[in-house]
Structure formats: structure tokens, C-alpha cells
Amino acid sequence: MLNRASTLYVLFASLAFSVQAKETVTVTGSTSVSHVVEVLAETYSSTNKDTFIAVQGVGSSAGITAVKQEAADIGMSSRYLKAAEINPDVQTVTIAHDGIALVVNKNNPVSNLTKEQVSKIYHGDITNWKAVGGPDLKIAVVSRENASGSRFSFEDFMDLTQQVAGQTVSDINPQVLVVNTNGTVKSLVSRNAHAIGYLSLGSVDDSVKALSFDGVQPTLANLESGEYKISRPFLMLFKEKKITDNAKDFLNFVISEGGQNIIDQRGYIAVHQK
């Protein structure tokens, strides 16, 4: 007859075996892409009980590097790869298209900014909301970290970069507050009447106010028609010779009709339209 200690050992061993029996697929990279991939992973795992999809939002650059170094099965990027990052062993698949929305506090009366105004705000040439039709308040400018695909796409579009020793580098005001995630940008802007930041369009909710850009509202319809110009792709990356069957199966689900329907429902442009 088993004593209590032996019974507990058998129970824990059984649980450990159950966890180990699941195949883990690691998906690492863009925090913007992870927002919808987490939903896709949960849906996939509900019908594929033997697979656990571990989604880690750590930035586009980190996701690209993780795949190249074989530290992740699948990478996520919310920007196109730079020339130096392109590797013949690494395949990319576009899973969706997204916009980048400029956001301010809900109490800010400003409703539209031009490209010139945004550039001057992030360069530090415009420092008060009064200069763009708002209240007499100093502007608190929020940006993302260097590894962020959102930041790369935003700065590239807004001409907020410069060439140094043959490299493209950021040219924003060094006093800009830099944060790590869409959620942190949203939290700061929602609590600060002075603030401006930018978010994945799919992450915008009623806690912040999304601005029109050059007179065009940041809506899915305007993004799809091409009227709203601040856009970027959502990519998944993998090494074709290294990807596991489980990881490939999850990727196939993401680009399937079912996966693309989830992407559409979450406020992004699906690659495979209905």
C-alpha cells in the first residue's frame, strides 16, 4: 500500500509527464503582432490539445534574431526586414496588415495632425499643443523602444530618421519618453492630458482618442482603401529546414480561413479576404 509521500510523488510525476507530453511551439517577436497571435494561439490550442503555443511579445528585432539563432520556432515582425536581416534560410509570411494610429488623451480637443506637424512634434520643434490648435499645455511625447517594429515603421514614414556612417538611425528628440509596449503607451496617454503617442490600430480602444492624419480618420475601411497612409505588415518568420510539424500546422491555421476570420474580427486587414 502506498504511503502519503509515495502517493504525492506519483501524482506530481503524472502531472509532469502530462505537461512534457505537450509539444511547445515558441512564437516570439512584435508586441503588436502578439496582440492577435495570442487569440489565434488560444483558439488553435482549444482543438489541438497536444500542442501549447507560447507567445512572447519582445519586439520585432528580437523576434527576427530569435528565429535566425534558432531560439524560437516562429518569429513575429510588424515591419519589413532590413537588408542586413534578410537571410535565405528564413522565410516570411504576411498574415495581416495593420495601421499605426496617433493617439492623445480623450480630453484633448485636437482631432487632426499633418505629417509636418507630427514630424516637428517628434523632432522637438513643436513643444506646446497651442501651436497645433490645442490648449496651452506642454506636449509630452511618447515613443517605443528601438527594437519595436511600430517605431521603425512610424519613424520611416514620418521622416524621423537620419543616415550616420551608412546606417539609418532614429532622429527623434532625445527627450521623448520611450516605453516598451503598446499597452504602456495607451496607459500613459489615457492618464496624461499632455501626451501624444502611437499605437497599433488594432490596439486602439475608448481609453484614448485616435487622431485623423492629414484629414483621414484611422479606420479599418480607410486603411483598406489606401486613404489612411500609416500602414505596415504583420509578418511571421521561420527557418524552413528547422520548423517543426506542429509549428507549421499552427502557421497554416493562422493563414487559413478560420485564422484570417479571427484577424478580421480583431480589427486588422486579413490577407485572404472573404
Side-chain angles (χ1 to χ4, degrees), residues 212-240:
S212 293
F213 177 72
D214 279 340
V216 181
Q217 292 182 330
T219 65
L220 199 59
N222 288 339
L223 182 64
E224 193 168 357
S225 70
E227 290 183 77
Y228 188 78
K229 302 296 184 183
I230 321 176
S231 64
R232 46 49 181 298
F234 276 5
L235 306 177
M236 280 188 159
L237 310 92
F238 61 95
K239 277 195 173 181
E240 191 167 19

mmCIF file of all heavy atoms in Angstrom, residues 212-240:
data_model
loop_
_atom_site.group_PDB
_atom_site.id
_atom_site.type_symbol
_atom_site.label_atom_id
_atom_site.label_comp_id
_atom_site.label_asym_id
_atom_site.label_seq_id
_atom_site.Cartn_x
_atom_site.Cartn_y
_atom_site.Cartn_z
ATOM 1 N N SER A 212 -7.084 61.910 -36.558
ATOM 2 C CA SER A 212 -7.011 61.831 -38.012
ATOM 3 C C SER A 212 -5.612 62.267 -38.426
ATOM 4 O O SER A 212 -4.970 63.076 -37.746
ATOM 5 C CB SER A 212 -8.061 62.741 -38.657
ATOM 6 O OG SER A 212 -9.366 62.285 -38.396
ATOM 7 N N PHE A 213 -5.159 61.736 -39.536
ATOM 8 C CA PHE A 213 -3.843 62.094 -40.064
ATOM 9 C C PHE A 213 -4.011 62.652 -41.471
ATOM 10 O O PHE A 213 -4.570 61.990 -42.341
ATOM 11 C CB PHE A 213 -2.921 60.877 -40.079
ATOM 12 C CG PHE A 213 -1.565 61.156 -40.676
ATOM 13 C CD1 PHE A 213 -0.640 61.925 -39.986
ATOM 14 C CD2 PHE A 213 -1.226 60.676 -41.929
ATOM 15 C CE1 PHE A 213 0.604 62.207 -40.532
ATOM 16 C CE2 PHE A 213 0.011 60.940 -42.486
ATOM 17 C CZ PHE A 213 0.933 61.706 -41.785
ATOM 18 N N ASP A 214 -3.581 63.893 -41.657
ATOM 19 C CA ASP A 214 -3.778 64.586 -42.941
ATOM 20 C C ASP A 214 -5.243 64.533 -43.363
ATOM 21 O O ASP A 214 -5.572 64.348 -44.541
ATOM 22 C CB ASP A 214 -2.895 63.986 -44.030
ATOM 23 C CG ASP A 214 -1.458 64.499 -43.971
ATOM 24 O OD1 ASP A 214 -1.226 65.561 -43.360
ATOM 25 O OD2 ASP A 214 -0.566 63.839 -44.538
ATOM 26 N N GLY A 215 -6.142 64.677 -42.380
ATOM 27 C CA GLY A 215 -7.571 64.754 -42.664
ATOM 28 C C GLY A 215 -8.275 63.425 -42.845
ATOM 29 O O GLY A 215 -9.467 63.398 -43.136
ATOM 30 N N VAL A 216 -7.580 62.317 -42.643
ATOM 31 C CA VAL A 216 -8.176 60.986 -42.835
ATOM 32 C C VAL A 216 -8.221 60.255 -41.501
ATOM 33 O O VAL A 216 -7.207 60.146 -40.807
ATOM 34 C CB VAL A 216 -7.384 60.153 -43.858
ATOM 35 C CG1 VAL A 216 -8.035 58.782 -44.043
ATOM 36 C CG2 VAL A 216 -7.288 60.884 -45.192
ATOM 37 N N GLN A 217 -9.393 59.740 -41.154
ATOM 38 C CA GLN A 217 -9.548 59.030 -39.886
ATOM 39 C C GLN A 217 -8.880 57.658 -39.943
ATOM 40 O O GLN A 217 -8.913 56.991 -40.990
ATOM 41 C CB GLN A 217 -11.033 58.860 -39.551
ATOM 42 C CG GLN A 217 -11.754 60.152 -39.233
ATOM 43 C CD GLN A 217 -13.202 59.902 -38.854
ATOM 44 O OE1 GLN A 217 -13.829 58.953 -39.309
ATOM 45 N NE2 GLN A 217 -13.733 60.771 -38.012
ATOM 46 N N PRO A 218 -8.290 57.206 -38.819
ATOM 47 C CA PRO A 218 -7.634 55.896 -38.794
ATOM 48 C C PRO A 218 -8.637 54.769 -38.586
ATOM 49 O O PRO A 218 -8.762 54.202 -37.493
ATOM 50 C CB PRO A 218 -6.670 56.021 -37.602
ATOM 51 C CG PRO A 218 -7.378 56.955 -36.675
ATOM 52 C CD PRO A 218 -8.119 57.937 -37.543
ATOM 53 N N THR A 219 -9.353 54.431 -39.632
ATOM 54 C CA THR A 219 -10.327 53.345 -39.569
ATOM 55 C C THR A 219 -9.864 52.193 -40.455
ATOM 56 O O THR A 219 -9.050 52.379 -41.368
ATOM 57 C CB THR A 219 -11.711 53.809 -40.038
ATOM 58 O OG1 THR A 219 -11.635 54.162 -41.436
ATOM 59 C CG2 THR A 219 -12.201 55.009 -39.242
ATOM 60 N N LEU A 220 -10.413 51.026 -40.202
ATOM 61 C CA LEU A 220 -10.062 49.853 -40.999
ATOM 62 C C LEU A 220 -10.440 50.058 -42.458
ATOM 63 O O LEU A 220 -9.696 49.681 -43.370
ATOM 64 C CB LEU A 220 -10.763 48.620 -40.430
ATOM 65 C CG LEU A 220 -10.196 47.259 -40.818
ATOM 66 C CD1 LEU A 220 -8.747 47.123 -40.392
ATOM 67 C CD2 LEU A 220 -11.048 46.147 -40.221
ATOM 68 N N ALA A 221 -11.605 50.696 -42.686
ATOM 69 C CA ALA A 221 -12.056 50.939 -44.063
ATOM 70 C C ALA A 221 -11.092 51.868 -44.797
ATOM 71 O O ALA A 221 -10.760 51.635 -45.965
ATOM 72 C CB ALA A 221 -13.463 51.526 -44.047
ATOM 73 N N ASN A 222 -10.643 52.931 -44.111
ATOM 74 C CA ASN A 222 -9.710 53.874 -44.748
ATOM 75 C C ASN A 222 -8.329 53.257 -44.950
ATOM 76 O O ASN A 222 -7.625 53.589 -45.908
ATOM 77 C CB ASN A 222 -9.609 55.152 -43.917
ATOM 78 C CG ASN A 222 -10.854 56.004 -44.005
ATOM 79 O OD1 ASN A 222 -11.631 55.886 -44.948
ATOM 80 N ND2 ASN A 222 -11.059 56.867 -43.024
ATOM 81 N N LEU A 223 -7.948 52.366 -44.057
ATOM 82 C CA LEU A 223 -6.684 51.659 -44.213
ATOM 83 C C LEU A 223 -6.763 50.706 -45.407
ATOM 84 O O LEU A 223 -5.850 50.637 -46.237
ATOM 85 C CB LEU A 223 -6.365 50.879 -42.937
ATOM 86 C CG LEU A 223 -5.042 50.106 -42.908
ATOM 87 C CD1 LEU A 223 -3.854 51.065 -42.984
ATOM 88 C CD2 LEU A 223 -4.962 49.257 -41.645
ATOM 89 N N GLU A 224 -7.875 50.012 -45.520
ATOM 90 C CA GLU A 224 -8.058 49.040 -46.601
ATOM 91 C C GLU A 224 -8.144 49.729 -47.961
ATOM 92 O O GLU A 224 -7.631 49.205 -48.958
ATOM 93 C CB GLU A 224 -9.319 48.218 -46.336
ATOM 94 C CG GLU A 224 -9.446 46.993 -47.195
ATOM 95 C CD GLU A 224 -10.539 46.060 -46.709
ATOM 96 O OE1 GLU A 224 -11.164 46.349 -45.673
ATOM 97 O OE2 GLU A 224 -10.763 45.041 -47.380
ATOM 98 N N SER A 225 -8.754 50.916 -47.998
ATOM 99 C CA SER A 225 -8.885 51.643 -49.270
ATOM 100 C C SER A 225 -7.590 52.327 -49.686
ATOM 101 O O SER A 225 -7.433 52.739 -50.837
ATOM 102 C CB SER A 225 -9.992 52.697 -49.155
ATOM 103 O OG SER A 225 -9.587 53.767 -48.292
ATOM 104 N N GLY A 226 -6.665 52.472 -48.729
ATOM 105 C CA GLY A 226 -5.406 53.150 -49.015
ATOM 106 C C GLY A 226 -5.424 54.634 -48.703
ATOM 107 O O GLY A 226 -4.410 55.321 -48.850
ATOM 108 N N GLU A 227 -6.566 55.152 -48.249
ATOM 109 C CA GLU A 227 -6.652 56.581 -47.909
ATOM 110 C C GLU A 227 -5.831 56.907 -46.665
ATOM 111 O O GLU A 227 -5.209 57.967 -46.580
ATOM 112 C CB GLU A 227 -8.117 56.983 -47.693
ATOM 113 C CG GLU A 227 -8.955 57.007 -48.946
ATOM 114 C CD GLU A 227 -10.364 57.490 -48.652
ATOM 115 O OE1 GLU A 227 -10.544 58.711 -48.483
ATOM 116 O OE2 GLU A 227 -11.274 56.639 -48.557
ATOM 117 N N TYR A 228 -5.867 56.002 -45.691
ATOM 118 C CA TYR A 228 -5.063 56.195 -44.482
ATOM 119 C C TYR A 228 -3.694 55.598 -44.754
ATOM 120 O O TYR A 228 -3.563 54.395 -45.047
ATOM 121 C CB TYR A 228 -5.727 55.530 -43.270
ATOM 122 C CG TYR A 228 -5.024 55.870 -41.969
ATOM 123 C CD1 TYR A 228 -5.222 57.105 -41.363
ATOM 124 C CD2 TYR A 228 -4.156 54.961 -41.363
ATOM 125 C CE1 TYR A 228 -4.571 57.429 -40.177
ATOM 126 C CE2 TYR A 228 -3.504 55.276 -40.183
ATOM 127 C CZ TYR A 228 -3.718 56.519 -39.602
ATOM 128 O OH TYR A 228 -3.060 56.834 -38.430
ATOM 129 N N LYS A 229 -2.664 56.419 -44.666
ATOM 130 C CA LYS A 229 -1.361 56.057 -45.214
ATOM 131 C C LYS A 229 -0.395 55.367 -44.248
ATOM 132 O O LYS A 229 0.563 54.730 -44.689
ATOM 133 C CB LYS A 229 -0.667 57.315 -45.760
ATOM 134 C CG LYS A 229 -1.466 58.038 -46.850
ATOM 135 C CD LYS A 229 -1.647 57.185 -48.084
ATOM 136 C CE LYS A 229 -2.365 57.942 -49.193
ATOM 137 N NZ LYS A 229 -2.598 57.080 -50.369
ATOM 138 N N ILE A 230 -0.612 55.522 -42.929
ATOM 139 C CA ILE A 230 0.375 54.962 -41.986
ATOM 140 C C ILE A 230 0.061 53.483 -41.765
ATOM 141 O O ILE A 230 -0.718 53.121 -40.891
ATOM 142 C CB ILE A 230 0.389 55.702 -40.644
ATOM 143 C CG1 ILE A 230 0.225 57.211 -40.824
ATOM 144 C CG2 ILE A 230 1.702 55.433 -39.906
ATOM 145 C CD1 ILE A 230 0.148 57.975 -39.524
ATOM 146 N N SER A 231 0.656 52.630 -42.567
ATOM 147 C CA SER A 231 0.366 51.202 -42.501
ATOM 148 C C SER A 231 1.651 50.390 -42.492
ATOM 149 O O SER A 231 2.726 50.891 -42.830
ATOM 150 C CB SER A 231 -0.505 50.782 -43.690
ATOM 151 O OG SER A 231 0.194 50.963 -44.904
ATOM 152 N N ARG A 232 1.516 49.129 -42.101
ATOM 153 C CA ARG A 232 2.669 48.206 -42.095
ATOM 154 C C ARG A 232 2.141 46.771 -42.097
ATOM 155 O O ARG A 232 0.959 46.513 -41.804
ATOM 156 C CB ARG A 232 3.592 48.461 -40.911
ATOM 157 C CG ARG A 232 3.082 48.664 -39.506
ATOM 158 C CD ARG A 232 2.146 47.809 -38.872
ATOM 159 N NE ARG A 232 1.690 48.083 -37.540
ATOM 160 C CZ ARG A 232 2.402 48.126 -36.420
ATOM 161 N NH1 ARG A 232 3.693 48.029 -36.424
ATOM 162 N NH2 ARG A 232 1.806 48.289 -35.260
ATOM 163 N N PRO A 233 3.001 45.801 -42.421
ATOM 164 C CA PRO A 233 2.566 44.401 -42.454
ATOM 165 C C PRO A 233 2.740 43.729 -41.094
ATOM 166 O O PRO A 233 3.508 44.189 -40.256
ATOM 167 C CB PRO A 233 3.532 43.781 -43.467
ATOM 168 C CG PRO A 233 4.817 44.535 -43.215
ATOM 169 C CD PRO A 233 4.396 45.952 -42.874
ATOM 170 N N PHE A 234 2.024 42.656 -40.890
ATOM 171 C CA PHE A 234 2.272 41.732 -39.796
ATOM 172 C C PHE A 234 2.872 40.477 -40.420
ATOM 173 O O PHE A 234 2.249 39.833 -41.270
ATOM 174 C CB PHE A 234 0.977 41.368 -39.063
ATOM 175 C CG PHE A 234 0.553 42.363 -38.011
ATOM 176 C CD1 PHE A 234 1.235 43.551 -37.821
ATOM 177 C CD2 PHE A 234 -0.550 42.106 -37.202
ATOM 178 C CE1 PHE A 234 0.842 44.471 -36.846
ATOM 179 C CE2 PHE A 234 -0.947 43.002 -36.221
ATOM 180 C CZ PHE A 234 -0.255 44.190 -36.047
ATOM 181 N N LEU A 235 4.088 40.138 -40.018
ATOM 182 C CA LEU A 235 4.804 39.008 -40.609
ATOM 183 C C LEU A 235 5.062 37.912 -39.582
ATOM 184 O O LEU A 235 5.245 38.189 -38.390
ATOM 185 C CB LEU A 235 6.160 39.464 -41.166
ATOM 186 C CG LEU A 235 6.195 40.631 -42.151
ATOM 187 C CD1 LEU A 235 7.638 40.957 -42.518
ATOM 188 C CD2 LEU A 235 5.386 40.321 -43.401
ATOM 189 N N MET A 236 5.100 36.680 -40.070
ATOM 190 C CA MET A 236 5.635 35.563 -39.294
ATOM 191 C C MET A 236 6.849 35.034 -40.045
ATOM 192 O O MET A 236 6.860 34.992 -41.284
ATOM 193 C CB MET A 236 4.593 34.469 -39.098
ATOM 194 C CG MET A 236 3.601 34.771 -37.980
ATOM 195 S SD MET A 236 2.526 33.373 -37.632
ATOM 196 C CE MET A 236 1.996 33.766 -35.956
ATOM 197 N N LEU A 237 7.888 34.650 -39.301
ATOM 198 C CA LEU A 237 9.129 34.181 -39.895
ATOM 199 C C LEU A 237 9.491 32.808 -39.343
ATOM 200 O O LEU A 237 9.175 32.497 -38.192
ATOM 201 C CB LEU A 237 10.283 35.143 -39.571
ATOM 202 C CG LEU A 237 10.101 36.623 -39.808
ATOM 203 C CD1 LEU A 237 9.592 37.311 -38.551
ATOM 204 C CD2 LEU A 237 11.409 37.249 -40.218
ATOM 205 N N PHE A 238 10.170 32.020 -40.158
ATOM 206 C CA PHE A 238 10.604 30.707 -39.695
ATOM 207 C C PHE A 238 11.739 30.213 -40.594
ATOM 208 O O PHE A 238 11.906 30.673 -41.727
ATOM 209 C CB PHE A 238 9.446 29.705 -39.726
ATOM 210 C CG PHE A 238 8.873 29.487 -41.095
ATOM 211 C CD1 PHE A 238 9.303 28.435 -41.904
ATOM 212 C CD2 PHE A 238 7.892 30.344 -41.597
ATOM 213 C CE1 PHE A 238 8.778 28.228 -43.164
ATOM 214 C CE2 PHE A 238 7.358 30.154 -42.867
ATOM 215 C CZ PHE A 238 7.807 29.093 -43.656
ATOM 216 N N LYS A 239 12.514 29.277 -40.053
ATOM 217 C CA LYS A 239 13.535 28.608 -40.850
ATOM 218 C C LYS A 239 12.900 27.361 -41.479
ATOM 219 O O LYS A 239 12.491 26.449 -40.762
ATOM 220 C CB LYS A 239 14.739 28.226 -39.988
ATOM 221 C CG LYS A 239 15.726 29.361 -39.792
ATOM 222 C CD LYS A 239 17.056 28.852 -39.248
ATOM 223 C CE LYS A 239 18.094 29.971 -39.232
ATOM 224 N NZ LYS A 239 19.404 29.496 -38.739
ATOM 225 N N GLU A 240 12.819 27.354 -42.794
ATOM 226 C CA GLU A 240 12.083 26.302 -43.491
ATOM 227 C C GLU A 240 12.618 24.906 -43.170
ATOM 228 O O GLU A 240 11.854 23.951 -43.037
ATOM 229 C CB GLU A 240 12.143 26.549 -44.997
ATOM 230 C CG GLU A 240 11.188 25.671 -45.792
ATOM 231 C CD GLU A 240 11.030 26.152 -47.210
ATOM 232 O OE1 GLU A 240 11.894 26.907 -47.698
ATOM 233 O OE2 GLU A 240 10.029 25.758 -47.840
#
